[in-house]
Amino acid sequence: MCSLGVFPAPVTAAQTLFERNNELLSALHPGEHSQACDLPSPQFTRDTLKGHSRPESSSRSVFLDQRDTLWMRSAGAWRDAGLYGLLDEITNSAEEVPRFLAVGSACVLALLRWASSFHGSLFPHLTLSSDEMVAEFSQMLDWSDSALRSFAWHPHTDKFAVALLDDSIKIYKSNSSPTPTLKHRCQRSVCALQWKPLCGSALAVACQSCLLIWHVDPASLSTRPSSGCAQVLSHPGHSPITSIAWSPTGSLLVSASPVDTSMMVWDVAAESAVPLQRVGGGGVTYLSWSPDGSRLLAATPSALFRVWETRMWTCERWPCLKGSCQSACWSPDGGCLLLSMQGERVIYALTFSDLTGINNTYSSPVTACQLLLILKGFSSLSALLNISVGGEVCSLSWDPRGERLAVLLKGRADNHPSVIAVFKTRSSPVFELLPCGFVMGEAGAEPRFMQFHPHFQHGALLTVCWSDGRISHVPFYFSSAGLLGGDSPQQALASNTTNPSSNKLYTEQIS
Amino acid sequence: FDVMATKPCTKFSSIYFQVVIWRAVASIAWSVLLLPVTTAVFVLLSRFSLFHPIQWISVLIMLILIWKFTSRVILYALYDCLFISLFVFPLVVPSIPCSRMALLGTVLHPRQCVHSLVYCTMGMLVMWCASVTIGGRYSTLGTPCRQSESGEVVTCLNEYHLFLLLAGAFMGYSHSFLGVVQNMYYVSFQPIQQYKYPRFKGCLPMVLKCSVIQSLYSARNFAALYFFFGYVPKTWISSTLNLQIDSSLQPLDSLTGLLDFSLLYHLSISGAFLYLTWYLTVLLFRIYVTEAYSFPVQSTFTEDAEQCLPKVLAEKNTLVMKFLALQDLALLSQHSLSRRLEVFNLSQPGGHPHNWNAISGECLSLLSELTQRLVAHQDAVASNGRVKSQSASSDTRSASSSSSVLTAPFTPDVDSPFSSPAIRRLVGQQDPHSPWSGTVQSPHIMRRGPKLWSASTVSSSVAGEKGSSRFSVIPLHGLETPVNSCSCHTLNCSAQVKSFLAKRVLIMYLFNKLPEASSQALFADSQAHIWALQGLSHLVAASFSEDQFGVVQTTLPNILSCLVVLLEAVDRHFKLPHASSKPVRTLCSMGDSTYKTLRFALRAALKTAIYKITTTFGEHLNAVNISTEHRKRLQQFLEFKE
């Protein structure tokens, strides 16, 4: 249990710049300058970006209505809206068709509607429209209203991709090279972005109707890569896609849709998919692959989530107490999973006892799901401004070294904004969470999305998307207190590089 | 199997029997066990009557109680044995025809003809069973009927029964035909591992959908066929069996006779049942064969050494075992620490890294063999394009120049099968096991190979390589004929014949190369290379922290240079025309079309493998002894510029 009151409250409501000496320093702090790192921090406003004003089907209203024959209309309805449209068309043109046909189709239509409303009462999210569903399950807070739709750091280099309101994607690099803009006919309502690990160029984009894989050549100077650089992956019944996850080895891509009960495991290069179906839950909304690649979290819209092991692709069901799983993050060694539930101010921790490899038998790694932290109470930030913070946990992010945990708390109304609370974490010898502070934006800006830089040299770097369309980077400078347990190659590499003289390749020692 | 196992020299065959044959038997057993279920569903649907539900259910129960289908089960078992005996070697490498003529040759191949005949018979048998089960007017071939003029009762031909029997034969043939065209017997491995039951459950809806759709298509095609040619079998049967034709009934080869809803319903239902039993067998066979098998890395007893991973990897004869071993290697390199440690271990007396040497050597030879194959293909294509400028032998020049005048540079020589009647007779002969053996033939013959169709200048050297390589691409029609040295006169004649034939549309159609087929054929067995790449890269990356004796780092320069050379060859290959065009995706068919995209998968796997090694080793790669060009390429990977 932790009260937000113990957090060190910033003295002013100015933008947080960085952490140094265990202190979060803001812009108004005396003697501090602005950005310490040379990463681009662009800003996008809603006015400059124009979303597509109306969906394609509504262009019908522009044209004059013309009476076709019944056959033509039926064929058109079948093509546009499937069985529902056909039945609807037959029922509506009762004077042209035989009476029994019209009555029959009306009965079938009523039966179908009743069945689907029953289905919808079991899974309420199915009654939402496609855009509403994306807005509901996107990791970006307030998705439909925001100028920024999604954000993703490249796992190995200093570049990131941003999806914008006008359905384009921009790619920024650290140096002042051109920023490519990606546009595609199918790229609508982008909900998630992720770069392929162990690859320099591939970016997966979850769109409303399909999955796009862009291949953006890093050496190219072009600012508008053609749509021929994009692979379109789609599967009937699998849209809108709200979450995607690459395996850490870069060989597989998993995509999920709240409408489809099966998640697709794509072999992207071969463009083939293996559906993995589990009916319970009514869909899959959020996916997260553990950093060591051995497990995959799949959250459903109901109060249920699953943890798949990725060797034989079996899963464990975890029925939640209340609410669906909203967000999750893995510890760097893949041994611990933090979860937040919808409507709760609680973070749950799921620890996995076995780390892969020692023996071949994959015993069930069931461990207790324990209540890690209750974020209780409100903290009044500044007595002058009369702002208080605290609320439902809606996003979690853990830095790649496992030393800082950022928690995005949702706000409610005026004078109660969303805020990012940062904790210091340590996993050995016992798991510890210590409050570090609040990350503040400029006046009036609320955080919408956050992600840690995957390989920041001097500590951790949190990138935040703000409600005013700005993307800012908050570095946390600290010296690593000791790495987490586990022997993943990256960590071994890190330990090697810290002491290069003692640990060399054998060939180096020979020569 | 015991007999086989006790023989001292058949250690390997014993493991082959353990794995492949046992799996085939298990899959057949399961498909036979599933038959009562599918038959029950079929009976349920065929006896379906909307207005008499009670009668319908009681008939059903009666039928199930009597267990009328026991005889049928035995029949199916027989047929399944036939099926597997024809395909006891699972095709892990698809056969890709390079032209329509080659496809025609495959379809008309004697082995394929026997196969089609067997399937026609099986289809007729199953349809006979189905018509007996449906009962009513379909049950027997002869029915008593009253002659109109004399009034006496004679035996007439029951055309409904005949219709169903012929439909069964038609469906059997179309199944066998589509099996070749769509590569249905090609067994592809899934990108993820699943247990058998979830996988079967996941595939079942797809199989049901495919069988229903296929049955509807077949029913349509058969109805059209029967409408036009139905009188031929009808009159033949009635004359041979001395059956009268009932003139009071509507003949079925007329429009009104065919527009019988109940007939078409029963036809499509029994067709769906027929296809479902076949597709289920194919599905179960695929699931069983592609299941991962865990080979021991090393064994304590020398007599079991033949069953260990390094030995099975080097297997040349049975590709299935080699594929399973490579799959196991890729899995152990990613998921099993203890087995990786066994690979990195040293042998107990002597301290040699035998395991690692054997495994890495086998993977590297596979990859370098692919590199050679790609380079040979590129040389062949390049020499075809610029053949006039080279001083090749006279017959080569005339053949290639005439073809390049007539057609685009990358289309094959159109008429080489017509150069002698002997060749024409041999079209369609297939010999997968000795593809390039024998004496070196003329460029005409080499041109018929899947990729070396124009390898005139490099043909002999490449042929030598191919003969020795253990992983030969299966040629589609290995034409072998002695061609004597031809004089200038015959050359002129042949050129005229060629230009004459090239103008005929049908011949052009048959002999024009299918686009991207040569590229597909080059990468037909690339699943093996993908696993080799995955296995190697993960083992090398794991060795950074797990390899205690440094056995991997001695071979690191070799591995890196092999990967970079392969990458260059693959990059060059994708610059060829048609190589980077994506195939059209088929929506619903049992045929597996993953082989069409294997080249893209290989390119992605290759880049990922290099990235895996470079990100793990980082700056340490500068200490590895490789050439400057390769280092430059690797530097690109270190900076994530690829």
Side-chain angles (χ1 to χ4, degrees):
Chain A
M1 189 162 306
C2 169
S3 168
L4 286 177
V6 304
F7 268 71
V11 278
T12 52
Q15 186 186 8
T16 308
L17 284 186
F18 51 85
E19 181 206 294
R20 182 183 287 166
N21 300 330
N22 283 336
E23 226 180 325
L24 282 171
L25 302 177
S26 67
L28 296 184
H29 209 268
E32 297 299 343
H33 305 290
S34 58
Q35 289 287 328
C37 52
D38 60 341
L39 296 167
S41 56
Q43 183 169 15
F44 306 94
T45 52
R46 276 187 67 87
D47 307 333
T48 54
L49 305 167
K50 215 178 198 176
H52 55 279
S53 52
R54 54 176 64 151
E56 252 171 30
S57 57
S58 71
S59 64
R60 180 191 296 258
S61 61
V62 178
F63 298 98
L64 284 178
D65 191 30
Q66 191 189 358
R67 296 298 285 176
D68 284 329
T69 59
L70 179 67
W71 283 111
M72 295 289 286
R73 274 183 286 139
S74 303
W78 170 261
R79 204 181 49 235
D80 288 347
L83 185 62
Y84 268 104
L86 182 66
L87 290 173
D88 213 28
E89 186 65 47
I90 292 173
T91 319
N92 287 338
S93 49
E95 67 275 9
E96 289 175 65
V97 293
R99 187 175 154 68
F100 75 91
L101 200 60
V103 172
S105 70
C107 289
V108 172
L109 197 61
L111 202 68
L112 278 178
R113 286 207 172 123
W114 177 79
S116 78
S117 73
F118 177 68
H119 195 204
S121 70
L122 279 180
F123 301 112
H125 68 277
L126 292 178
T127 55
L128 298 175
S129 79
S130 179
D131 263 339
E132 286 168 346
M133 205 180 286
V134 172
E136 170 77 25
F137 297 113
S138 170
Q139 286 294 298
M140 179 73 72
L141 255 178
D142 207 2
W143 178 87
S144 52
D145 206 31
S146 170
L148 304 171
R149 286 288 166 85
S150 189
F151 175 90
W153 271 110
H154 190 275
H156 306 287
T157 55
D158 278 342
K159 69 177 170 186
F160 59 85
V162 192
L164 302 173
L165 181 67
D166 61 349
D167 293 330
S168 67
I169 293 173
K170 282 186 185 290
I171 294 171
Y172 287 89
K173 290 170 204 164
S174 61
N175 44 14
S176 59
S177 48
T179 58
T181 307
L182 312 178
K183 283 187 180 175
H184 195 277
R185 192 170 43 84
C186 301
Q187 192 168 292
R188 287 280 163 86
S189 307
V190 177
C191 188
L193 294 173
Q194 200 177 9
W195 290 91
K196 180 179 175 179
L198 297 182
C199 182
S201 60
L203 172 72
V205 182
C207 308
Q208 194 172 40
S209 59
C210 61
L211 193 62
L212 283 177
I213 313 290
W214 283 97
H215 296 274
V216 190
D217 187 3
S220 154
L221 292 173
S222 145
T223 53
R224 278 294 299 274
S226 78
S227 56
C229 300
Q231 251 179 302
V232 181
L233 304 176
S234 64
H235 196 269
H238 193 70
S239 68
I241 296 171
T242 57
S243 189
I244 44 178
W246 284 99
S247 71
T249 53
S251 53
L252 298 172
L253 174 70
V254 186
S255 69
S257 165
V259 180
D260 197 358
T261 50
S262 53
M263 56 184 201
M264 295 285 158
V265 183
W266 293 92
D267 183 352
V268 169
E271 298 193 359
S272 62
V274 180
L276 289 175
Q277 190 165 34
R278 293 288 184 279
V279 179
V284 183
T285 55
Y286 179 74
L287 297 168
S288 174
W289 211 305
S290 73
D292 63 343
S294 61
R295 286 186 188 84
L296 175 75
L297 168 90
T300 68
S302 311
L304 171 76
F305 66 92
R306 294 191 180 83
V307 180
W308 293 81
E309 61 84 20
T310 58
R311 191 186 144 90
M312 291 309 284
W313 290 93
T314 53
C315 66
E316 285 172 20
R317 277 166 58 98
W318 285 90
C320 316
L321 297 175
K322 66 171 191 177
S324 60
C325 174
Q326 178 90 20
S327 177
C329 62
W330 291 86
S331 70
D333 61 347
C336 179
L337 173 67
L338 300 187
L339 300 146
S340 71
M341 301 294 158
Q342 196 171 31
E344 286 192 74
R345 298 179 180 186
V346 171
I347 300 174
Y348 294 95
L350 205 60
T351 42
F352 296 93
S353 51
D354 70 333
L355 288 172
T356 48
I358 302 303
N359 52 357
N360 271 327
T361 56
Y362 273 74
S363 58
S364 174
V366 180
T367 49
C369 179
Q370 52 180 336
L371 203 65
L372 184 68
L373 177 69
I374 304 176
L375 293 163
K376 213 185 148 194
F378 302 102
S379 159
S380 80
L381 274 188
S382 158
L384 288 175
L385 292 170
N386 193 17
I387 292 176
S388 61
V389 295
E392 178 186 331
V393 177
C394 56
S395 185
L396 292 168
S397 186
W398 207 339
D399 89 304
R401 298 187 189 207
E403 305 230 357
R404 292 290 181 277
L405 174 72
V407 180
L408 179 51
L409 303 171
K410 200 176 181 179
R412 274 192 309 211
D414 287 347
N415 291 338
H416 202 114
S418 308
V419 76
I420 295 174
V422 181
F423 293 89
K424 292 171 196 163
T425 55
R426 194 193 297 165
S427 69
S428 64
V430 284
F431 194 86
E432 276 185 358
L433 273 178
L434 296 169
C436 178
F438 293 112
V439 172
M440 306 291 295
E442 287 180 347
E446 289 183 31
R448 292 277 187 247
F449 184 84
M450 56 181 188
Q451 191 174 37
F452 274 103
H453 190 289
H455 55 93
F456 188 62
Q457 296 293 323
H458 318 288
L461 178 88
L462 182 70
T463 303
V464 187
C465 301
W466 300 94
S467 59
D468 59 353
R470 178 178 289 279
I471 295 171
S472 73
H473 310 281
V474 183
F476 297 82
Y477 296 108
F478 56 85
S479 58
S480 212
L483 294 155
L484 283 171
D487 47 1
S488 74
Q490 282 80 15
Q491 284 168 9
L493 176 65
S495 67
N496 270 346
T497 46
T498 49
N499 193 2
S501 57
S502 69
N503 206 334
K504 274 186 168 180
L505 293 190
Y506 290 89
T507 43
E508 285 176 275
Q509 287 170 354
I510 292 165
S511 59
Chain B
F1 302 152
D2 291 337
V3 179
M4 297 296 287
T6 46
K7 287 181 186 172
C9 60
T10 53
K11 268 292 183 291
F12 177 75
S13 63
S14 80
I15 187 168
Y16 176 74
F17 271 96
Q18 265 173 28
V19 182
V20 178
I21 303 288
W22 174 242
R23 287 177 173 194
V25 168
S27 73
I28 298 169
W30 271 109
S31 54
V32 170
L33 281 177
L34 279 174
L35 271 170
V37 182
T38 50
T39 321
V41 173
F42 167 68
V43 170
L44 217 114
L45 287 172
S46 66
R47 292 279 173 124
F48 177 75
S49 70
L50 193 61
F51 304 107
H52 306 285
I54 306 289
Q55 190 191 348
W56 172 46
I57 291 170
S58 64
V59 163
L60 180 78
I61 290 168
M62 185 190 74
L63 276 177
I64 290 174
L65 282 181
I66 297 171
W67 207 254
K68 212 173 163 183
F69 323 113
T70 345
S71 58
R72 233 149 289 149
V73 171
I74 295 163
L75 258 180
Y76 285 130
L78 184 76
Y79 121 78
D80 272 332
C81 294
L82 268 172
F83 168 82
I84 293 300
S85 66
L86 283 173
F87 295 100
V88 79
F89 294 98
L91 273 173
V92 285
V93 177
S95 67
I96 299 162
C98 279
S99 70
R100 291 182 182 84
M101 195 63 212
L103 188 62
L104 204 64
T106 326
V107 172
L108 297 178
H109 189 266
R111 183 164 157 273
Q112 179 60 28
C113 289
V114 171
H115 182 249
S116 302
L117 206 65
V118 169
Y119 266 85
C120 282
T121 325
M122 295 328 293
M124 277 175 86
L125 272 175
V126 174
M127 273 305 194
W128 174 74
C129 297
S131 59
V132 170
T133 315
I134 296 168
R137 59 179 181 176
Y138 302 103
S139 52
T140 51
L141 189 60
T143 48
C145 64
R146 198 172 292 275
Q147 271 188 330
S148 53
E149 59 268 27
S150 58
E152 59 181 310
V153 176
V154 288
T155 320
C156 286
L157 176 72
N158 183 3
E159 204 180 348
Y160 293 106
H161 189 83
L162 180 69
F163 185 77
L164 282 189
L165 286 189
L166 289 175
F170 177 78
M171 284 171 181
Y173 183 75
S174 67
H175 177 76
S176 156
F177 176 74
L178 286 179
V180 172
V181 174
Q182 295 179 348
N183 262 320
M184 202 181 290
Y185 305 113
Y186 162 57
V187 176
S188 74
F189 290 78
Q190 279 206 320
I192 59 171
Q193 300 296 310
Q194 274 179 286
Y195 288 111
K196 290 191 285 286
Y197 175 63
R199 202 179 148 196
F200 177 74
K201 211 170 63 175
C203 289
L204 200 56
M206 190 269 291
V207 168
L208 277 173
K209 196 175 134 194
C210 281
S211 56
V212 168
I213 289 177
Q214 191 57 46
S215 137
L216 288 177
Y217 273 120
S218 296
R220 184 197 67 184
N221 294 345
F222 177 70
L225 198 70
Y226 194 81
F227 177 71
F228 289 112
F229 303 107
Y231 64 93
V232 180
K234 198 165 74 174
T235 45
W236 183 67
I237 292 277
S238 65
S239 63
T240 40
L241 296 183
N242 203 9
L243 295 168
Q244 305 288 320
I245 287 177
D246 196 349
S247 52
S248 64
L249 288 172
Q250 184 75 39
L252 276 182
D253 53 349
S254 65
L255 209 56
T256 45
L258 275 178
L259 283 177
D260 181 354
F261 177 75
S262 133
L263 177 72
L264 290 182
Y265 173 74
H266 281 130
L267 175 62
S268 44
I269 281 291
S270 6
F273 170 65
L274 180 61
Y275 279 118
L276 184 65
T277 51
W278 280 332
Y279 287 171
L280 276 181
T281 317
V282 172
L283 175 72
L284 283 165
F285 189 62
R286 276 186 197 167
I287 289 176
Y288 267 90
V289 166
T290 58
E291 196 196 0
Y293 185 85
S294 180
F295 295 91
V297 175
Q298 59 182 4
S299 86
T300 23
F301 306 106
T302 46
E303 55 262 32
D304 293 338
E306 289 293 319
Q307 306 184 4
C308 289
L309 189 62
K311 281 285 190 293
V312 184
L313 272 180
E315 173 60 29
K316 296 178 185 67
N317 298 322
T318 48
L319 279 179
V320 193
M321 293 308 287
K322 187 173 184 114
F323 270 57
L324 285 173
L326 281 165
Q327 187 190 29
D328 187 41
L329 175 69
L331 288 176
L332 87 87
S333 71
Q334 290 176 47
H335 295 292
S336 173
L337 173 65
S338 57
R339 295 179 69 200
R340 278 200 299 267
L341 289 180
E342 274 185 72
V343 172
F344 298 141
N345 232 341
L346 300 183
S347 65
Q348 200 46 26
H352 297 288
H354 287 309
N355 291 334
W356 168 252
N357 283 348
I359 288 174
S360 67
E362 190 53 41
C363 291
L364 285 181
S365 75
L366 258 182
L367 296 176
S368 58
E369 187 268 332
L370 177 69
T371 314
Q372 283 169 12
R373 200 197 292 171
L374 289 175
V375 169
H377 177 71
Q378 282 147 15
D379 289 351
V381 171
S383 67
N384 189 42
R386 54 165 194 271
V387 91
K388 271 190 175 176
S389 60
Q390 287 182 347
S391 58
S393 62
S394 63
D395 61 340
T396 309
R397 189 164 59 221
S398 70
S400 303
S401 61
S402 63
S403 74
S404 61
V405 164
L406 290 165
T407 58
F410 300 117
T411 49
D413 198 359
V414 284
D415 59 337
S416 49
F418 292 89
S419 54
S420 86
I423 303 178
R424 202 183 317 171
R425 256 185 282 120
L426 283 160
V427 168
Q429 290 232 338
Q430 203 174 16
D431 192 7
H433 295 294
S434 62
W436 301 93
S437 58
T439 55
V440 174
Q441 293 92 26
S442 88
H444 289 294
I445 290 107
M446 300 315 297
R447 195 165 286 130
R448 290 291 96 198
K451 54 191 187 300
L452 295 170
W453 42 269
S454 55
S456 36
T457 50
V458 290
S459 58
S460 55
S461 62
V462 172
E465 277 173 22
K466 288 295 150 194
S468 63
S469 72
R470 64 173 57 84
F471 232 2
S472 55
V473 174
I474 292 181
L476 297 144
H477 39 301
L479 290 178
E480 291 180 15
T481 176
V483 173
N484 42 16
S485 62
C486 31
S487 64
C488 275
H489 177 68
T490 51
L491 269 173
N492 280 339
C493 284
S494 73
Q496 281 173 5
V497 170
K498 228 177 281 181
S499 62
F500 172 76
L501 289 172
K503 282 171 194 155
R504 299 293 167 275
V505 178
L506 178 68
I507 294 177
M508 286 291 285
Y509 176 79
L510 282 179
F511 283 94
N512 258 353
K513 219 164 76 73
L514 296 172
E516 63 179 290
S518 65
S519 192
Q520 280 175 17
L522 265 181
F523 289 96
D525 57 349
S526 279
Q527 187 62 59
H529 303 115
I530 292 170
W531 280 324
L533 284 168
Q534 284 177 352
L536 264 188
S537 66
H538 280 102
L539 281 176
V540 169
S543 79
F544 193 83
S545 53
E546 292 169 11
D547 179 14
Q548 299 165 2
F549 309 107
V551 295
V552 172
Q553 285 164 18
T554 52
T555 44
L556 196 55
N558 274 344
I559 292 173
L560 283 172
S561 59
C562 177
L563 292 183
V564 172
V565 168
L566 179 59
L567 181 69
E568 278 164 6
V570 169
D571 278 349
R572 267 209 303 280
H573 179 82
F574 273 92
K575 295 205 173 88
L576 299 179
H578 296 305
S580 53
S581 58
K582 299 267 177 185
V584 186
R585 277 203 288 168
T586 49
L587 275 176
C588 188
S589 87
M590 269 304 278
D592 208 322
S593 61
T594 43
Y595 64 90
K596 289 179 182 166
T597 47
L598 269 178
R599 57 183 185 277
F600 302 105
L602 179 90
R603 185 173 58 167
L606 178 59
K607 285 194 174 177
T608 310
I610 299 179
Y611 268 123
K612 181 86 193 165
I613 296 175
T614 54
T615 46
T616 310
F617 281 80
E619 293 301 318
H620 293 290
L621 282 182
N622 294 329
V624 180
N625 185 21
I626 45 174
S627 72
T628 354
E629 289 166 35
H630 294 172
R631 195 181 298 283
K632 246 181 228 167
R633 195 73 202 259
L634 285 179
Q635 193 60 35
Q636 296 274 313
F637 278 90
L638 277 172
E639 293 165 5
F640 284 89
K641 289 275 175 61
E642 281 287 326

